[in-house]
């Protein structure tokens, strides 16, 4: 086997599937209150079906105080009235299944809302549920350890009633569940079985690799000049994580063989750990979401953006392709509800190059080995929002970072550029269905303003334009469904040191695919392996430039997929 070459293997249905993520608040509003809802999603399912999506991933719709837009859950077995009710959910599920698609739920069980009945009961030191969360006494009058929260500030909040602290790796309104308690785990598994019996087809598991903590909760190493220690060695892929996931599979997923898709969101996971999590023989998860490639443009922290080096991206994605070649499976994504829009981040969202850069990025990603995830609006080329002042932001992560930075002495004009580039609100502006005043999302006032560019960038316009981003995604998905080499082919990285062109081959049986993408706004020439000059072009994103002196010439942001048989 040559360096950079990996082998594939056949089996589960989800390997040839494409997953479409819906963020319910922002997808479609059926009742005019400015917030998306379940009936709105049901009314727009033909968009997904025509696109070719196989699976709908539904971000949380459970009852929630909405401190973290639904990722703070107060009841795991109901629907928040803002989104509808269980009857509306059942209508949506039936409509999804009626179109031959599947639906997976967001499973958020590292933490609950502080308004969940479990946590409310746990506030009583004498309650049987006290040990369902991480309650600890003060240490020298302060927090039990020095951990910081992912959402800024300490990871502990004091409860005056009992003079004790509870752990929250995220917001104070998101207390962490104590998975060391078997009653907690069984309550989670019972809830999962309840949804599966209702007919859902699997789960995307929010930060699931954080559920196992070192019970000693030791201080973390202090780094830099911040006040908080790095607690991640005690909770990222903690001591019992594999035990818990095997137990979850045995108690829940194994009862539905061959039917389900399970993907675990895992910040900080390594290739070596992912091999264990996704090895079918270990019966844990089908795939994981890793964050390595979406951290390559971070400086000291997330809100300190740096230009992406293409060689870093190739090294990262190539390492995951190789690492999960013979064991496990990759998930493939550029966008989700936590990431800025990729056409603004790694492409060019100006009018000249938006379509071509969006389609190039899609082509390169979808032709890797793994299951692609499309985030709502990505298939239209939706871009980052014009977030000018802090009043334009809604997301807790951005608002908390801004407040902490200003307390530390930073000037607003120094903090805002990072928030504009990387803030999660960019992904959460309403879906752009048409060019009407509220983009066809709502008849009311949207909870988050629509992007002004919706007058040009919208689904109605995309449907009518055969060269649109939407129709390119349709062709990409159709190629995955029809060409086995896309799903099962070996992966070989080409040109690993080129800072302009991303190129690789996929080989399966007698078929080889060559994929090339120009990550720049310039015309570039490049040496590719011989024998491809006359190969069939099965997919491209616009007019190509003729070869010069035996070298391939790529137009700005051009992508091509060639096929050679035999």
């Amino acid at each position: 086997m040559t360096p950079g070459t990996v082998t594939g293997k056949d089996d589960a249905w989800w390997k040839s599937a494409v997953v479409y993520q819906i963020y319910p608040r922002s997808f479609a509003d059926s009742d005019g209150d400015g917030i998306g809802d379940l009936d709105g999603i049901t009314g727009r399912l033909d968009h997904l079906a025509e696109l070719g999506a196989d699976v709908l991933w539904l971000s949380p719709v459970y009852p929630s105080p909405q401190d973290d837009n639904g990722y703070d859950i107060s009841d795991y077995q109901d629907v928040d009235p803002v989104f509808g009710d269980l009857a509306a959910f059942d209508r949506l599920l039936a409509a999804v299944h009626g179109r031959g698609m599947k639906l997976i739920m967001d499973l958020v069980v590292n933490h609950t809302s502080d308004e969940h009945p479990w946590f409310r009961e746990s506030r009583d030191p004498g309650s049987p549920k006290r040990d369902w969360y991480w309650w600890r006494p003060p240490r020298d009058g302060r927090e039990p350890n020095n951990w910081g929260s992912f959402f800024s500030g300490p990871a502990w909040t004091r409860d005056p009633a009992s003079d004790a602290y509870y752990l929250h790796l995220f917001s104070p309104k998101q207390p962490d569940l104590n998975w060391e308690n078997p009653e907690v785990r069984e309550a989670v598994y019972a809830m999962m079985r309840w949804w599966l019996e209702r007919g859902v087809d699997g789960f995307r598991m929010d930060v699931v690799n954080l559920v196992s903590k070192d019970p000693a909760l030791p201080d973390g190493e202090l780094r830099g000049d911040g006040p908080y220690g790095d607690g991640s060695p005690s909770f990222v892929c903690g001591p019992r994580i594999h035990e818990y996931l095997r137990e979850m599979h045995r108690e829940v997923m194994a009862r539905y063989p061959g039917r389900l898709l399970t993907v675990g969101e895992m910040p900080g996971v390594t290739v070596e750990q992912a091999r264990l999590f996704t090895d079918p023989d270990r019966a844990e998860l089908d795939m994981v979401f890793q964050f390595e490639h979406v951290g390559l443009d971070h400086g000291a922290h997330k809100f300190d953006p740096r230009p992406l080096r293409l060689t870093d991206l190739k090294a990262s994605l190539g390492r995951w392709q190789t690492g999960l070649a013979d064991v496990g499976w990759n998930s493939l994504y550029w966008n989700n509800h936590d990431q800025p829009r990729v056409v603004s981040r790694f492409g060019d969202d100006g009018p000249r190059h938006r379509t071509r850069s969006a389609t190039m990025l899609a082509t390169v990603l979808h032709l890797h080995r793994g299951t692609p995830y499309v985030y709502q609006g990505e298939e239209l080329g939706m871009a980052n929002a014009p977030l000018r002042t802090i009043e334009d932001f809604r997301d807790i992560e951005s608002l908390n970072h801004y407040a902490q930075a200003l307390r530390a002495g930073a000037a607003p004009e120094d903090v805002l550029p990072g928030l504009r580039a990387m803030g999660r609100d960019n992904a959460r502006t309403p879906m752009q269905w048409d060019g009407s005043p509220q983009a066809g999302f709502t008849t009311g006032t949207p909870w988050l303003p629509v992007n002004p560019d919706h007058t040009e960038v919208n689904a109605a316009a995309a449907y009518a334009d055969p060269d649109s981003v939407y129709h390119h995604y349709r062709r990409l998905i159709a190629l995955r469904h029809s060409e086995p080499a896309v799903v099962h082919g070996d992966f070989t990285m080409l040109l690993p040191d080129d800072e302009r062109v991303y190129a690789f081959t996929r080989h399966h049986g007698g078929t080889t695919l060559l994929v090339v993408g120009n990550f720049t706004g310039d015309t570039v020439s490049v040496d590719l392996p011989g024998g491809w000059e006359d190969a069939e072009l099965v997919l491209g994103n616009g007019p190509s430039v003729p070869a010069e002196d035996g070298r391939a010439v790529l137009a700005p942001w051009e992508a091509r997929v060639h096929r050679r048989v035999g």
Side-chain angles (χ1 to χ4, degrees):
M1 186 183 298
T2 58
T5 301
V6 299
T7 50
K9 64 179 183 179
D10 301 339
D11 40 39
W13 64 266
W14 36 261
K15 292 191 173 183
S16 60
V18 173
V19 183
Y20 188 99
Q21 182 191 359
I22 285 180
Y23 193 70
R25 291 184 69 85
S26 301
F27 192 67
D29 172 24
S30 70
D31 59 11
D33 67 354
I35 300 174
D37 49 48
L38 293 173
D39 284 339
I41 297 170
T42 302
R44 293 288 190 175
L45 285 180
D46 287 345
H47 176 81
L48 278 66
E50 289 296 318
L51 186 66
D54 304 282
V55 182
L56 185 166
W57 155 23
L58 193 65
S59 286
V61 293
Y62 314 95
S64 167
Q66 302 295 325
D67 183 62
D68 186 24
N69 278 5
Y71 283 86
D72 49 315
I73 297 170
S74 56
D75 184 347
Y76 284 115
Q77 292 180 212
D78 204 350
V79 169
D80 195 296
V82 75
F83 298 126
D85 54 25
L86 284 170
F89 178 85
D90 291 340
R91 289 193 296 272
L92 170 61
L93 184 60
V96 168
H97 288 164
R99 287 166 173 79
M101 298 186 291
K102 297 177 183 289
L103 185 149
I104 63 173
M105 299 285 283
D106 225 310
L107 183 76
V108 188
V109 290
N110 174 72
H111 46 263
T112 69
S113 167
D114 66 342
E115 298 183 30
H116 195 291
W118 297 347
F119 185 75
R120 286 178 167 172
E121 186 174 339
S122 83
R123 286 185 182 273
D124 177 359
S127 166
K129 286 192 169 59
R130 183 69 165 184
D131 193 41
W132 281 44
Y133 295 84
W134 294 94
W135 287 97
R136 291 293 185 271
R139 183 181 66 175
D140 300 326
R142 293 181 52 80
E143 292 85 1
N145 68 25
N146 67 358
W147 295 359
S149 161
F150 286 110
F151 286 170
S152 305
W156 297 90
T157 289
R158 178 177 171 269
D159 184 41
S162 61
D163 192 27
Y165 286 82
Y166 64 87
L167 176 68
H168 52 86
L169 294 181
F170 296 90
S171 163
K173 289 187 68 63
Q174 293 170 292
D176 280 44
L177 284 164
N178 177 13
W179 277 61
E180 291 285 314
N181 187 329
E183 293 180 356
V184 169
R185 304 199 302 275
E186 179 46 43
V188 168
Y189 304 155
M191 173 267 291
M192 295 172 70
R193 290 190 292 264
W194 185 86
W195 281 108
L196 292 173
E197 285 301 308
R198 204 169 194 97
V200 306
D201 302 293
F203 300 98
R204 174 266 185 187
M205 303 178 184
D206 187 67
V207 296
V208 72
N209 65 322
L210 308 186
V211 299
S212 173
K213 278 89 169 171
D214 177 350
L217 305 177
D219 276 347
E221 179 183 350
L222 290 170
R223 297 177 181 173
D225 56 1
Y228 303 114
D230 177 14
S232 62
S234 296
F235 58 72
V236 172
C237 300
R240 299 180 68 185
I241 185 61
H242 292 288
E243 173 192 344
Y244 293 159
L245 291 178
R246 284 194 296 271
E247 180 183 76
M248 177 189 289
H249 186 278
R250 183 176 66 249
E251 296 298 320
V252 182
M253 272 71 79
R255 304 182 184 202
Y256 307 88
R259 173 183 145 191
L260 307 180
L261 166 62
T262 57
V263 53
E265 182 198 31
M266 294 192 169
V269 70
T270 66
V271 174
E272 294 72 26
Q273 291 165 338
R275 283 174 61 88
L276 298 177
F277 287 122
T278 65
D279 180 348
D281 293 337
R282 293 174 58 86
E284 296 184 27
L285 297 172
D286 296 325
M287 63 190 88
V288 304
F289 284 135
Q290 55 92 4
F291 287 70
E292 185 178 296
H293 68 298
V294 292
L296 296 173
D297 58 346
H298 295 177
H301 52 76
K302 172 180 177 175
F303 296 110
D304 179 29
R306 297 286 188 267
L308 174 72
R309 294 181 66 237
L310 185 59
T311 49
D312 290 343
L313 182 66
K314 288 190 271 194
S316 175
L317 294 181
R319 181 165 53 251
W320 281 85
Q321 290 286 296
T322 302
L324 297 186
D326 56 335
V327 174
W329 192 248
N330 278 286
S331 61
L332 309 172
Y333 74 95
W334 292 131
N335 292 285
N336 59 39
H337 63 288
D338 287 334
Q339 301 295 331
R341 294 287 183 176
V342 73
V343 72
S344 301
R345 184 179 192 178
F346 296 156
D348 182 341
D349 61 10
R352 182 181 177 193
H353 292 309
R354 184 196 302 232
T355 295
R356 205 147 193 189
S357 65
T359 52
M360 183 280 295
L361 288 162
T363 303
V364 168
L365 185 79
H366 281 236
L367 268 293
H368 279 76
R369 181 174 178 269
T371 297
Y373 289 72
V374 178
Y375 178 70
Q376 64 183 45
E378 177 185 341
E379 76 283 11
L380 305 178
M382 280 181 62
N384 280 357
L387 302 165
R388 295 183 177 86
T389 71
I390 194 61
E391 286 73 27
D392 294 329
F393 291 83
R394 300 288 186 276
D395 180 51
I396 184 174
E397 182 185 37
S398 294
L399 296 174
N400 285 1
H401 174 79
Y402 181 83
Q404 179 172 284
L406 265 58
R407 284 196 300 271
E413 59 269 23
D414 295 328
V415 181
L416 283 168
L419 297 184
R420 293 183 187 118
M422 306 303 290
R424 300 193 300 181
D425 289 302
N426 286 305
R428 302 176 181 187
T429 57
M431 183 71 171
Q432 295 168 200
W433 293 107
D434 58 40
S436 64
Q438 302 301 350
F441 165 70
T442 182
T443 57
T445 301
W447 75 278
L448 192 64
V450 299
N451 194 319
D453 71 8
H454 76 276
T455 54
E456 288 82 34
V457 180
N458 60 70
Y463 299 155
D465 178 3
D467 296 321
S468 68
V469 179
Y470 174 80
H471 285 299
H472 189 83
Y473 269 79
R474 288 186 65 205
R475 290 187 283 271
L476 266 177
I477 294 171
L479 181 62
R480 164 169 293 272
H481 289 158
S482 63
E483 174 52 74
V486 177
V487 179
H488 304 298
D490 303 349
F491 178 96
T492 302
M493 184 71 77
L494 307 176
L495 310 176
D497 299 321
D498 195 304
E499 290 289 0
R500 306 161 303 163
V501 175
Y502 200 123
F504 55 90
T505 59
R506 305 289 310 282
H507 178 77
H508 178 71
T511 298
T512 304
L513 302 175
L514 169 67
V515 183
V516 292
N518 180 2
F519 268 71
T520 78
D522 301 318
T523 300
V524 300
S525 59
V526 64
D527 289 314
L528 292 172
W532 286 99
E533 297 81 0
D534 301 318
E536 175 192 10
L537 178 67
V538 293
L539 188 66
N541 67 344
S544 293
V545 180
E548 293 180 354
D549 301 323
R551 306 188 83 211
V553 180
L554 298 174
W557 302 105
E558 183 180 358
R560 301 181 198 166
V561 182
H562 292 276
R563 177 166 53 201
R564 191 171 61 196
V565 180

